Amino acid sequence: MPRHQPSAYLSHTARREGWLALPPCRWVALLIFTLAARHLANPFIATVYVLYMAGIGTCMGSVMTSALRTLADNQQTEGNAILNTLQQFAGAVGTSLSAVVVAQSQTYLAGSQAYTTAVGTQNAFIMLTVFATVIWFSYFKVVK
């Protein structure tokens, strides 16, 4: 028998820690990358990337801990393995989709390689920002 009622616990945790689903600094960093994609200098990229990674760092441990707390003790190792696998898979899918968007822009747009890459990168950031926004709203819609 599980230690907690998963749905009731998750629902309570989401209300209390809901902002951890996608911290504002992570979404803001994606938005900055999206809006400034064609004008990125190395120091600017590094600064915004630090903001983005701070957002990831503040949420991943908390979200995984919250999810694992809903499982019984004998299920936590499997739950941890599944969460880590899903995280790796999602990262691979996101990287692949972003690479496809950039490659399509390089192939089908007219202009220099630098210009088509910049446009493709901006389109990839737009896609990632839309995905992040959909995930954010889906999280709050599912966990009431």
Side-chain angles (χ1 to χ4, degrees), residues 12 16 18 31 33 47 49 51 53 60 62 66-67 69 78 83-84 94 106 113 118 122 127 135 139 143:
H12 170 71
R16 189 170 41 90
L31 192 60
F33 274 138
T47 303
Y49 187 70
L51 178 67
M53 292 309 293
M60 288 312 297
S62 298
S66 178
R69 277 193 280 175
E78 290 89 356
L83 288 173
N84 283 316
Q106 290 172 334
Q113 182 85 16
Q122 186 170 28
M127 176 191 68
I135 291 168
Y139 175 79
V143 182

Side-chain angles (χ1 to χ4, degrees), residues 45-62:
I45 292 171
T47 303
V48 177
Y49 187 70
V50 165
L51 178 67
Y52 182 78
M53 292 309 293
I56 288 176
T58 59
C59 81
M60 288 312 297
S62 298

Side-chain angles (χ1 to χ4, degrees), residues 37-38 102 105-106 109-122:
R38 296 189 199 183
V102 173
S105 295
Q106 290 172 334
L109 290 178
S112 69
Q113 182 85 16
Y115 172 76
T116 58
T117 302
V119 170
T121 302
Q122 186 170 28

Side-chain angles (χ1 to χ4, degrees), residues 4-16 66 70 143-144:
H4 306 287
Q5 299 254 344
S7 60
Y9 181 78
L10 184 59
S11 196
H12 170 71
T13 303
R15 281 194 207 104
R16 189 170 41 90
S66 178
T70 64
V143 182
K144 297 177 182 181

